[in-house]
Coordinates of all heavy atoms in Angstrom, one line a residue:
M1 N -27.2 30.0 -17.7 CA -27.0 28.7 -18.3 C -27.1 27.6 -17.2 O -26.5 27.8 -16.1 CB -25.7 28.7 -19.0 CG -25.3 27.3 -19.5 SD -23.7 27.5 -20.4 CE -23.7 25.9 -21.0
E2 N -27.7 26.5 -17.4 CA -27.9 25.5 -16.4 C -27.0 24.3 -16.8 O -27.1 23.7 -17.9 CB -29.4 25.1 -16.4 CG -29.6 24.1 -15.2 CD -31.1 23.9 -15.1 OE1 -31.9 24.8 -14.9 OE2 -31.5 22.7 -15.3
V3 N -26.2 23.8 -15.9 CA -25.3 22.7 -16.1 C -25.8 21.5 -15.3 O -26.1 21.7 -14.1 CB -23.8 23.0 -15.8 CG1 -22.9 21.9 -16.0 CG2 -23.4 24.2 -16.6
I4 N -25.8 20.3 -15.9 CA -26.2 19.1 -15.1 C -25.0 18.4 -14.6 O -24.1 18.1 -15.3 CB -27.0 18.1 -16.0 CG1 -28.2 18.8 -16.7 CG2 -27.4 16.9 -15.3 CD1 -29.4 19.0 -15.8
Q5 N -24.9 18.2 -13.3 CA -23.8 17.6 -12.6 C -23.9 16.0 -12.8 O -25.0 15.6 -13.2 CB -23.8 17.9 -11.1 CG -23.5 19.3 -10.8 CD -22.0 19.7 -11.0 OE1 -21.2 18.8 -11.1 NE2 -21.7 20.9 -11.2
P6 N -22.8 15.3 -12.6 CA -22.9 13.8 -12.7 C -24.0 13.2 -11.8 O -24.5 12.1 -12.1 CB -21.6 13.3 -12.3 CG -20.6 14.5 -12.6 CD -21.5 15.7 -12.3
N7 N -24.4 13.9 -10.7 CA -25.4 13.3 -9.8 C -26.8 13.8 -10.3 O -27.7 13.7 -9.5 CB -25.1 13.6 -8.4 CG -25.0 15.1 -8.1 OD1 -25.2 15.9 -9.0 ND2 -24.6 15.5 -6.9
N8 N -26.9 14.4 -11.5 CA -28.2 14.8 -12.1 C -28.8 16.0 -11.3 O -30.0 16.2 -11.4 CB -29.2 13.7 -12.2 CG -28.7 12.6 -13.2 OD1 -28.0 13.0 -14.1 ND2 -29.0 11.4 -13.0
E9 N -28.1 16.8 -10.6 CA -28.6 18.0 -10.0 C -28.2 19.2 -10.8 O -27.0 19.4 -11.1 CB -28.0 18.1 -8.5 CG -28.5 17.0 -7.6 CD -27.9 17.1 -6.2 OE1 -27.3 18.2 -6.0 OE2 -28.1 16.2 -5.4
P10 N -29.1 20.0 -11.2 CA -28.8 21.2 -12.0 C -28.1 22.2 -11.1 O -28.4 22.4 -9.9 CB -30.1 21.7 -12.5 CG -31.1 21.1 -11.6 CD -30.6 19.9 -11.0
T11 N -27.1 22.9 -11.7 CA -26.4 24.0 -11.0 C -26.6 25.3 -11.9 O -26.8 25.2 -13.1 CB -25.0 23.7 -10.8 OG1 -24.3 23.6 -12.0 CG2 -24.8 22.5 -10.0
T12 N -26.3 26.4 -11.3 CA -26.4 27.6 -12.1 C -25.1 28.2 -12.4 O -25.0 29.3 -13.0 CB -27.3 28.6 -11.3 OG1 -26.7 28.8 -10.0 CG2 -28.7 28.2 -11.1
S13 N -24.0 27.6 -12.0 CA -22.7 28.1 -12.3 C -22.3 27.9 -13.7 O -22.8 26.9 -14.3 CB -21.6 27.5 -11.3 OG -21.4 26.2 -11.7
G14 N -21.4 28.7 -14.2 CA -21.1 28.6 -15.6 C -19.9 27.7 -15.9 O -19.4 27.4 -17.0
N15 N -19.3 27.1 -14.8 CA -18.1 26.3 -14.9 C -18.5 24.8 -15.1 O -19.3 24.3 -14.3 CB -17.2 26.4 -13.6 CG -16.7 27.8 -13.5 OD1 -16.6 28.6 -14.4 ND2 -16.5 28.2 -12.2
P16 N -18.0 24.2 -16.1 CA -18.3 22.7 -16.2 C -17.5 21.9 -15.2 O -16.5 22.3 -14.7 CB -17.8 22.4 -17.6 CG -16.7 23.4 -17.9 CD -17.1 24.7 -17.2
T17 N -18.1 20.7 -14.9 CA -17.4 19.8 -14.0 C -16.4 19.0 -14.8 O -16.7 18.4 -15.8 CB -18.5 18.9 -13.4 OG1 -19.4 19.7 -12.7 CG2 -17.8 17.9 -12.4
I18 N -15.2 18.9 -14.3 CA -14.2 18.2 -14.9 C -13.8 17.0 -14.0 O -13.5 17.1 -12.8 CB -12.9 19.0 -15.1 CG1 -13.2 20.2 -16.0 CG2 -11.8 18.2 -15.7 CD1 -12.1 21.2 -16.1
I19 N -13.9 15.8 -14.6 CA -13.6 14.6 -13.9 C -12.3 14.0 -14.5 O -12.2 13.8 -15.7 CB -14.8 13.5 -14.1 CG1 -16.0 14.1 -13.5 CG2 -14.4 12.2 -13.4 CD1 -17.3 13.3 -13.7
V20 N -11.3 13.8 -13.7 CA -10.0 13.3 -14.1 C -9.9 11.9 -13.6 O -9.9 11.6 -12.4 CB -8.9 14.2 -13.6 CG1 -7.6 13.6 -14.0 CG2 -9.1 15.6 -14.0
N21 N -9.7 11.0 -14.5 CA -9.5 9.6 -14.2 C -8.0 9.3 -14.2 O -7.3 9.4 -15.2 CB -10.1 8.6 -15.2 CG -11.6 8.7 -15.1 OD1 -12.2 8.9 -14.0 ND2 -12.3 8.4 -16.2
Q22 N -7.4 9.1 -13.0 CA -6.0 8.9 -12.9 C -5.7 7.4 -13.1 O -6.4 6.6 -12.7 CB -5.4 9.3 -11.6 CG -5.6 10.8 -11.4 CD -5.0 11.3 -10.0 OE1 -4.6 10.5 -9.2 NE2 -5.0 12.6 -9.8
P23 N -4.6 7.1 -13.9 CA -4.3 5.7 -14.1 C -3.9 5.0 -12.8 O -3.2 5.6 -12.0 CB -3.1 5.8 -15.1 CG -2.5 7.2 -14.9 CD -3.6 8.0 -14.5
V24 N -4.3 3.8 -12.7 CA -3.9 3.0 -11.6 C -2.5 2.4 -11.8 O -2.3 1.9 -12.9 CB -5.0 1.8 -11.4 CG1 -4.6 0.9 -10.3 CG2 -6.4 2.3 -11.3
P25 N -1.6 2.6 -10.8 CA -0.3 2.1 -11.0 C -0.3 0.5 -11.1 O -1.0 -0.1 -10.3 CB 0.5 2.5 -9.8 CG -0.6 2.9 -8.8 CD -1.8 3.2 -9.6
K26 N 0.4 0.0 -12.1 CA 0.4 -1.4 -12.3 C 1.4 -2.1 -11.4 O 2.5 -1.5 -11.2 CB 0.7 -1.8 -13.8 CG -0.5 -1.3 -14.7 CD -0.2 -1.8 -16.1 CE -1.3 -1.4 -17.0 NZ -1.1 -1.9 -18.4
S27 N 1.2 -3.3 -11.0 CA 2.2 -4.0 -10.2 C 2.3 -5.4 -10.8 O 1.3 -5.9 -11.4 CB 1.8 -4.0 -8.7 OG 0.6 -4.7 -8.5
N28 N 3.4 -6.0 -10.5 CA 3.6 -7.4 -11.0 C 4.0 -8.2 -9.8 O 5.1 -8.3 -9.3 CB 4.8 -7.4 -12.0 CG 5.0 -8.7 -12.6 OD1 4.4 -9.7 -12.3 ND2 5.9 -8.7 -13.6
G29 N 2.9 -8.8 -9.2 CA 3.1 -9.6 -8.0 C 4.0 -10.8 -8.1 O 4.8 -11.2 -7.3
M30 N 3.8 -11.5 -9.3 CA 4.6 -12.7 -9.5 C 6.1 -12.3 -9.7 O 7.0 -13.0 -9.2 CB 4.2 -13.4 -10.8 CG 2.8 -14.1 -10.7 SD 3.0 -15.5 -9.7 CE 1.5 -16.3 -10.0
G31 N 6.4 -11.3 -10.4 CA 7.8 -10.8 -10.6 C 8.4 -10.4 -9.3 O 9.6 -10.7 -9.1
T32 N 7.6 -9.7 -8.5 CA 8.2 -9.2 -7.2 C 8.4 -10.4 -6.3 O 9.5 -10.5 -5.6 CB 7.2 -8.3 -6.5 OG1 6.9 -7.2 -7.4 CG2 7.7 -7.8 -5.2
A33 N 7.5 -11.4 -6.3 CA 7.7 -12.6 -5.5 C 8.9 -13.4 -6.0 O 9.7 -13.9 -5.1 CB 6.4 -13.5 -5.5
G34 N 9.1 -13.5 -7.3 CA 10.2 -14.2 -7.8 C 11.5 -13.5 -7.4 O 12.5 -14.2 -7.1
F35 N 11.5 -12.2 -7.5 CA 12.7 -11.4 -7.1 C 13.1 -11.6 -5.6 O 14.2 -11.9 -5.2 CB 12.5 -10.0 -7.4 CG 13.7 -9.1 -7.0 CD1 14.9 -9.1 -7.7 CD2 13.6 -8.2 -5.9 CE1 15.9 -8.3 -7.3 CE2 14.6 -7.4 -5.6 CZ 15.8 -7.5 -6.3
V36 N 12.0 -11.6 -4.8 CA 12.3 -11.7 -3.3 C 12.8 -13.1 -3.0 O 13.7 -13.3 -2.2 CB 11.0 -11.4 -2.5 CG1 11.1 -11.8 -1.1 CG2 10.6 -9.9 -2.6
L37 N 12.2 -14.2 -3.7 CA 12.6 -15.5 -3.4 C 14.1 -15.7 -4.0 O 14.9 -16.5 -3.4 CB 11.7 -16.5 -4.1 CG 10.4 -16.7 -3.4 CD1 9.5 -17.6 -4.2 CD2 10.5 -17.2 -2.0
A38 N 14.4 -15.1 -5.1 CA 15.8 -15.2 -5.6 C 16.8 -14.6 -4.6 O 17.9 -15.1 -4.4 CB 15.8 -14.5 -7.0
L39 N 16.4 -13.4 -4.0 CA 17.3 -12.8 -3.1 C 17.4 -13.6 -1.8 O 18.5 -13.7 -1.3 CB 16.8 -11.4 -2.7 CG 17.0 -10.3 -3.7 CD1 16.5 -9.0 -3.2 CD2 18.5 -10.1 -3.9
L40 N 16.3 -14.2 -1.3 CA 16.4 -15.1 -0.2 C 17.3 -16.3 -0.5 O 18.1 -16.7 0.4 CB 15.0 -15.5 0.2 CG 14.1 -14.5 1.0 CD1 12.7 -15.1 1.2 CD2 14.8 -14.2 2.3
A41 N 17.1 -16.8 -1.7 CA 18.0 -18.0 -2.1 C 19.4 -17.6 -2.2 O 20.3 -18.4 -1.9 CB 17.5 -18.6 -3.4
L42 N 19.7 -16.4 -2.5 CA 21.1 -15.9 -2.6 C 21.7 -15.9 -1.2 O 22.9 -16.3 -1.1 CB 21.1 -14.5 -3.2 CG 22.4 -13.9 -3.6 CD1 22.9 -14.7 -4.8 CD2 22.2 -12.5 -4.1
F43 N 21.0 -15.6 -0.2 CA 21.5 -15.6 1.2 C 21.3 -16.9 1.9 O 22.1 -17.3 2.8 CB 20.9 -14.5 2.0 CG 21.2 -13.1 1.5 CD1 20.3 -12.3 0.9 CD2 22.5 -12.6 1.7 CE1 20.6 -11.0 0.4 CE2 22.9 -11.4 1.2 CZ 21.9 -10.6 0.6
L44 N 20.3 -17.7 1.5 CA 20.1 -19.0 2.1 C 20.4 -20.2 1.2 O 20.0 -21.3 1.5 CB 18.6 -19.1 2.6 CG 18.1 -18.1 3.6 CD1 16.7 -18.2 3.8 CD2 18.9 -18.2 4.9
G45 N 21.2 -20.0 0.2 CA 21.6 -21.0 -0.7 C 22.5 -22.1 -0.1 O 22.5 -23.2 -0.6
W46 N 23.1 -21.8 1.0 CA 24.0 -22.7 1.7 C 23.2 -23.7 2.5 O 23.7 -24.8 2.9 CB 25.0 -22.0 2.5 CG 24.4 -21.1 3.5 CD1 24.1 -19.8 3.3 CD2 24.0 -21.4 4.9 NE1 23.5 -19.3 4.5 CE2 23.4 -20.2 5.4 CE3 24.0 -22.6 5.6 CZ2 22.9 -20.2 6.7 CZ3 23.5 -22.5 6.9 CH2 22.9 -21.3 7.4
V47 N 21.9 -23.4 2.8 CA 21.1 -24.4 3.5 C 20.6 -25.4 2.5 O 20.0 -25.1 1.5 CB 19.8 -23.7 4.1 CG1 18.9 -24.6 4.8 CG2 20.3 -22.6 5.1
P48 N 20.9 -26.7 2.8 CA 20.8 -27.8 1.7 C 19.4 -27.8 1.0 O 19.4 -27.6 -0.2 CB 21.0 -29.0 2.5 CG 21.9 -28.7 3.6 CD 21.5 -27.3 4.0
V49 N 18.3 -28.0 1.7 CA 17.1 -28.2 1.0 C 16.3 -26.9 0.8 O 15.8 -26.6 -0.3 CB 16.2 -29.2 1.7 CG1 14.8 -29.3 1.0 CG2 16.9 -30.5 1.8
V50 N 16.3 -26.0 1.7 CA 15.6 -24.7 1.7 C 16.2 -23.8 0.5 O 15.4 -23.3 -0.2 CB 15.7 -24.0 3.0 CG1 15.1 -22.6 2.9 CG2 15.1 -24.8 4.1
G51 N 17.5 -23.8 0.4 CA 18.1 -23.0 -0.6 C 17.7 -23.4 -2.0 O 17.4 -22.6 -2.9
W52 N 17.7 -24.7 -2.2 CA 17.4 -25.3 -3.5 C 16.0 -25.0 -3.9 O 15.7 -24.7 -5.0 CB 17.6 -26.8 -3.5 CG 19.0 -27.2 -3.1 CD1 20.2 -26.5 -3.1 CD2 19.4 -28.5 -2.5 NE1 21.2 -27.2 -2.6 CE2 20.8 -28.4 -2.2 CE3 18.7 -29.6 -2.2 CZ2 21.5 -29.4 -1.7 CZ3 19.4 -30.7 -1.6 CH2 20.8 -30.6 -1.4
I53 N 15.1 -25.2 -2.9 CA 13.6 -24.9 -3.2 C 13.4 -23.4 -3.5 O 12.7 -23.1 -4.5 CB 12.8 -25.4 -2.0 CG1 12.8 -26.9 -1.9 CG2 11.3 -24.9 -2.2 CD1 12.1 -27.4 -0.7
L54 N 14.1 -22.6 -2.8 CA 14.0 -21.1 -3.1 C 14.5 -20.8 -4.4 O 13.9 -19.9 -5.1 CB 14.7 -20.3 -2.0 CG 14.0 -20.3 -0.6 CD1 14.9 -19.5 0.4 CD2 12.7 -19.7 -0.7
W55 N 15.6 -21.4 -4.9 CA 16.2 -21.1 -6.2 C 15.1 -21.4 -7.3 O 14.9 -20.7 -8.2 CB 17.4 -21.9 -6.5 CG 18.7 -21.4 -5.8 CD1 19.5 -22.1 -5.0 CD2 19.3 -20.1 -6.0 NE1 20.5 -21.4 -4.6 CE2 20.5 -20.1 -5.2 CE3 19.0 -19.0 -6.7 CZ2 21.3 -19.1 -5.1 CZ3 19.9 -17.9 -6.6 CH2 21.0 -17.9 -5.8
V56 N 14.6 -22.6 -7.2 CA 13.7 -23.1 -8.2 C 12.4 -22.3 -8.2 O 11.9 -21.9 -9.2 CB 13.4 -24.6 -8.0 CG1 12.3 -25.1 -9.0 CG2 14.7 -25.4 -8.2
L57 N 11.8 -22.0 -7.0 CA 10.6 -21.2 -6.9 C 10.8 -19.8 -7.4 O 10.0 -19.2 -8.1 CB 10.1 -21.2 -5.5 CG 9.4 -22.4 -5.0 CD1 9.0 -22.3 -3.5 CD2 8.2 -22.7 -5.8
G58 N 12.0 -19.2 -7.1 CA 12.3 -17.9 -7.6 C 12.4 -17.9 -9.1 O 11.9 -17.0 -9.8
L59 N 13.0 -19.0 -9.7 CA 13.1 -19.1 -11.1 C 11.7 -19.2 -11.8 O 11.4 -18.5 -12.8 CB 13.9 -20.3 -11.5 CG 14.2 -20.6 -13.0 CD1 15.0 -19.4 -13.6 CD2 14.9 -21.9 -13.1
I60 N 10.8 -20.0 -11.2 CA 9.5 -20.2 -11.8 C 8.7 -19.0 -11.8 O 8.1 -18.5 -12.7 CB 8.8 -21.4 -11.1 CG1 9.5 -22.7 -11.5 CG2 7.3 -21.5 -11.5 CD1 9.0 -23.9 -10.6
L61 N 8.6 -18.3 -10.6 CA 7.8 -17.1 -10.4 C 8.4 -16.0 -11.3 O 7.6 -15.2 -11.8 CB 7.7 -16.7 -9.0 CG 6.9 -17.7 -8.1 CD1 6.9 -17.2 -6.6 CD2 5.5 -17.8 -8.6
S62 N 9.7 -15.9 -11.4 CA 10.2 -14.8 -12.2 C 9.9 -15.1 -13.7 O 9.7 -14.1 -14.4 CB 11.8 -14.7 -12.0 OG 12.0 -14.3 -10.7
C63 N 10.0 -16.3 -14.1 CA 9.6 -16.6 -15.5 C 8.2 -16.2 -15.8 O 7.9 -15.7 -16.9 CB 9.8 -18.1 -15.8 SG 11.5 -18.6 -16.0
V64 N 7.3 -16.5 -14.9 CA 5.9 -16.1 -15.1 C 5.7 -14.6 -15.1 O 5.0 -14.0 -15.9 CB 5.0 -16.7 -14.0 CG1 3.6 -16.2 -14.0 CG2 4.9 -18.2 -14.1
G65 N 6.5 -13.9 -14.2 CA 6.4 -12.5 -14.1 C 7.0 -11.7 -15.3 O 6.6 -10.6 -15.5
V66 N 7.9 -12.4 -16.1 CA 8.4 -11.7 -17.2 C 7.4 -11.4 -18.3 O 7.5 -10.5 -19.0 CB 9.6 -12.6 -17.8 CG1 10.0 -12.1 -19.2 CG2 10.8 -12.5 -16.9
F67 N 6.3 -12.2 -18.3 CA 5.3 -12.0 -19.3 C 4.2 -11.0 -18.9 O 3.2 -10.9 -19.5 CB 4.6 -13.4 -19.6 CG 5.6 -14.3 -20.3 CD1 6.2 -15.3 -19.6 CD2 6.0 -14.1 -21.6 CE1 7.1 -16.2 -20.2 CE2 6.9 -14.9 -22.2 CZ 7.4 -16.0 -21.5
R68 N 4.4 -10.4 -17.7 CA 3.5 -9.3 -17.2 C 4.2 -8.0 -17.2 O 5.4 -8.0 -17.2 CB 2.9 -9.7 -15.9 CG 2.1 -11.0 -15.9 CD 1.6 -11.4 -14.6 NE 0.8 -12.6 -14.6 CZ 0.3 -13.2 -13.6 NH1 0.4 -12.6 -12.4 NH2 -0.4 -14.3 -13.8
T69 N 3.5 -6.9 -17.0 CA 4.1 -5.6 -16.9 C 3.9 -5.1 -15.5 O 2.9 -5.4 -14.9 CB 3.5 -4.6 -17.9 OG1 2.1 -4.5 -17.7 CG2 3.8 -5.0 -19.3
P70 N 4.8 -4.4 -14.9 CA 6.2 -4.0 -15.3 C 7.1 -5.2 -15.1 O 6.9 -6.1 -14.3 CB 6.6 -2.9 -14.4 CG 5.7 -3.1 -13.2 CD 4.4 -3.7 -13.6
K71 N 8.1 -5.3 -15.9 CA 9.0 -6.5 -16.0 C 10.3 -6.3 -15.2 O 11.1 -7.3 -15.1 CB 9.3 -6.8 -17.4 CG 8.2 -7.1 -18.3 CD 8.6 -7.4 -19.7 CE 7.3 -7.7 -20.5 NZ 7.7 -8.2 -21.8
G72 N 10.6 -5.2 -14.6 CA 11.9 -4.9 -14.0 C 12.3 -5.9 -13.0 O 13.4 -6.5 -13.1
L73 N 11.5 -6.1 -11.9 CA 11.9 -7.0 -10.9 C 11.9 -8.5 -11.3 O 12.6 -9.3 -10.8 CB 11.0 -6.8 -9.7 CG 11.2 -5.6 -8.8 CD1 10.2 -5.4 -7.7 CD2 12.6 -5.5 -8.3
A74 N 11.0 -8.8 -12.3 CA 10.9 -10.1 -12.8 C 12.2 -10.5 -13.5 O 12.7 -11.6 -13.4 CB 9.7 -10.3 -13.7
I75 N 12.7 -9.6 -14.3 CA 13.9 -9.8 -15.0 C 15.1 -10.0 -14.1 O 16.0 -10.9 -14.2 CB 14.2 -8.7 -16.1 CG1 13.1 -8.8 -17.2 CG2 15.6 -8.8 -16.7 CD1 13.2 -7.7 -18.2
A76 N 15.2 -9.1 -13.1 CA 16.2 -9.2 -12.1 C 16.2 -10.5 -11.3 O 17.2 -11.2 -11.1 CB 16.1 -8.0 -11.1
G77 N 15.0 -10.9 -10.9 CA 14.8 -12.2 -10.2 C 15.1 -13.4 -11.1 O 15.7 -14.4 -10.7
L78 N 14.8 -13.3 -12.4 CA 15.2 -14.3 -13.4 C 16.7 -14.5 -13.5 O 17.2 -15.6 -13.5 CB 14.5 -14.0 -14.7 CG 14.6 -15.1 -15.8 CD1 13.9 -16.4 -15.4 CD2 14.1 -14.6 -17.1
I79 N 17.4 -13.4 -13.6 CA 18.8 -13.4 -13.8 C 19.5 -14.0 -12.5 O 20.3 -14.9 -12.6 CB 19.4 -12.0 -14.1 CG1 19.0 -11.6 -15.5 CG2 20.9 -12.0 -13.9 CD1 19.3 -10.2 -15.8
I80 N 19.0 -13.5 -11.3 CA 19.6 -14.0 -10.1 C 19.3 -15.5 -9.9 O 20.2 -16.3 -9.6 CB 19.0 -13.3 -8.9 CG1 19.5 -11.8 -8.9 CG2 19.4 -13.9 -7.6 CD1 18.9 -10.9 -7.9
S81 N 18.1 -15.9 -10.3 CA 17.7 -17.4 -10.1 C 18.5 -18.2 -11.1 O 18.9 -19.3 -10.8 CB 16.2 -17.5 -10.3 OG 15.5 -16.9 -9.3
L82 N 18.6 -17.8 -12.4 CA 19.4 -18.5 -13.3 C 20.8 -18.7 -12.9 O 21.4 -19.8 -13.0 CB 19.3 -17.9 -14.7 CG 18.0 -18.1 -15.5 CD1 18.0 -17.3 -16.8 CD2 17.8 -19.6 -15.8
L83 N 21.5 -17.6 -12.4 CA 22.8 -17.8 -11.9 C 22.9 -18.7 -10.8 O 23.9 -19.5 -10.7 CB 23.4 -16.4 -11.6 CG 23.6 -15.4 -12.7 CD1 24.0 -14.1 -12.2 CD2 24.7 -16.0 -13.7
G84 N 21.9 -18.7 -9.9 CA 21.9 -19.6 -8.7 C 21.7 -21.0 -9.1 O 22.4 -21.9 -8.6
V85 N 20.8 -21.3 -10.1 CA 20.6 -22.7 -10.5 C 21.8 -23.2 -11.2 O 22.2 -24.4 -11.0 CB 19.3 -22.7 -11.4 CG1 19.2 -24.1 -12.1 CG2 18.1 -22.5 -10.5
I86 N 22.5 -22.4 -12.1 CA 23.7 -22.8 -12.7 C 24.8 -23.1 -11.7 O 25.5 -24.1 -11.8 CB 24.1 -21.8 -13.8 CG1 23.2 -21.7 -14.9 CG2 25.6 -22.0 -14.2 CD1 23.4 -20.5 -15.9
L87 N 24.9 -22.2 -10.7 CA 25.9 -22.5 -9.6 C 25.6 -23.8 -8.9 O 26.5 -24.6 -8.6 CB 25.9 -21.3 -8.7 CG 26.9 -21.4 -7.5 CD1 28.3 -21.4 -8.0 CD2 26.6 -20.3 -6.5
L88 N 24.3 -24.0 -8.6 CA 23.9 -25.2 -7.9 C 24.2 -26.4 -8.8 O 24.7 -27.4 -8.2 CB 22.4 -25.1 -7.7 CG 21.7 -26.2 -6.8 CD1 22.2 -26.1 -5.4 CD2 20.2 -26.0 -6.9
L89 N 24.0 -26.4 -10.1 CA 24.4 -27.5 -10.9 C 25.9 -27.8 -10.9 O 26.3 -29.0 -10.9 CB 23.9 -27.3 -12.3 CG 22.3 -27.3 -12.5 CD1 22.0 -26.9 -13.9 CD2 21.8 -28.7 -12.2
F90 N 26.7 -26.7 -10.9 CA 28.1 -26.9 -10.9 C 28.6 -27.5 -9.5 O 29.5 -28.4 -9.5 CB 28.9 -25.6 -11.1 CG 29.0 -25.3 -12.6 CD1 28.6 -24.1 -13.0 CD2 29.7 -26.1 -13.4 CE1 28.7 -23.7 -14.4 CE2 29.8 -25.8 -14.8 CZ 29.3 -24.6 -15.2
V91 N 27.9 -27.1 -8.5 CA 28.3 -27.7 -7.1 C 27.9 -29.1 -7.1 O 28.7 -30.0 -6.6 CB 27.6 -26.9 -6.0 CG1 27.6 -27.6 -4.7 CG2 28.1 -25.5 -5.9
F92 N 26.7 -29.5 -7.6 CA 26.3 -30.9 -7.6 C 27.3 -31.7 -8.5 O 27.6 -32.9 -8.2 CB 24.9 -31.1 -8.1 CG 23.9 -31.0 -7.0 CD1 22.8 -30.2 -7.1 CD2 24.1 -31.6 -5.8 CE1 21.9 -30.0 -6.1 CE2 23.2 -31.5 -4.7 CZ 22.0 -30.7 -4.9
A93 N 27.6 -31.2 -9.7 CA 28.6 -31.9 -10.6 C 29.9 -32.1 -9.9 O 30.5 -33.2 -10.0 CB 28.7 -31.1 -11.9
G94 N 30.4 -31.1 -9.2 CA 31.7 -31.2 -8.5 C 31.6 -32.3 -7.3 O 32.5 -33.0 -7.1
L95 N 30.5 -32.3 -6.6 CA 30.3 -33.3 -5.6 C 30.2 -34.7 -6.1 O 30.8 -35.6 -5.6 CB 29.0 -33.0 -4.8 CG 29.1 -31.8 -3.9 CD1 27.7 -31.5 -3.2 CD2 30.1 -31.9 -2.8
F96 N 29.5 -34.9 -7.2 CA 29.4 -36.2 -7.8 C 30.8 -36.6 -8.4 O 31.1 -37.8 -8.3 CB 28.3 -36.3 -8.9 CG 26.9 -36.3 -8.3 CD1 26.0 -35.4 -8.8 CD2 26.6 -37.1 -7.3 CE1 24.7 -35.4 -8.3 CE2 25.3 -37.1 -6.8 CZ 24.4 -36.3 -7.3
A97 N 31.5 -35.7 -9.0 CA 32.8 -36.0 -9.5 C 33.8 -36.4 -8.4 O 34.6 -37.3 -8.5 CB 33.4 -34.8 -10.3
A98 N 33.7 -35.7 -7.3 CA 34.6 -36.0 -6.1 C 34.2 -37.3 -5.6 O 35.1 -38.1 -5.2 CB 34.5 -34.9 -5.1
A99 N 32.9 -37.7 -5.5 CA 32.5 -39.0 -5.0 C 32.9 -40.1 -5.9 O 33.3 -41.2 -5.5 CB 31.0 -39.0 -4.8
A100 N 32.9 -39.8 -7.2 CA 33.3 -40.8 -8.2 C 34.8 -41.1 -8.1 O 35.3 -42.2 -8.2 CB 32.9 -40.4 -9.6
V101 N 35.6 -40.0 -7.9 CA 37.0 -40.2 -7.9 C 37.4 -40.9 -6.6 O 38.3 -41.8 -6.5 CB 37.7 -38.8 -7.9 CG1 39.2 -38.9 -7.6 CG2 37.6 -38.3 -9.4
S102 N 36.8 -40.6 -5.5 CA 37.1 -41.2 -4.2 C 36.6 -42.7 -4.1 O 37.1 -43.5 -3.4 CB 36.5 -40.4 -3.0 OG 35.1 -40.5 -3.1
A103 N 35.7 -43.1 -5.0 CA 35.2 -44.4 -5.0 C 36.1 -45.4 -5.8 O 36.0 -46.6 -5.6 CB 33.7 -44.5 -5.6
I104 N 36.9 -44.8 -6.6 CA 37.8 -45.6 -7.4 C 39.0 -46.1 -6.6 O 39.6 -45.8 -5.8 CB 38.3 -44.8 -8.7 CG1 37.1 -44.5 -9.5 CG2 39.4 -45.6 -9.4 CD1 37.5 -43.7 -10.8

């Protein structure tokens, strides 16, 4: 029996050629970037401008990454960023309230 290989060369062996297509592992670059920026903002949040920019960028990239697969790091980055932005808003509200009280 003659078997035709994928390269169109006939062989005389009786064993068929088996081609296995392995799935390509998926990655979520936006979700990973959002998670990394959220972690950096967690540690650098005390730096006035850099921390704020990192919180917002982490939030935006994590939001974009949630709509792609896999979602694990994107969800973690989104939670960290949301907590950071909420904390940032409370800090600003406290600063403005303190400034308003001291101005009276």
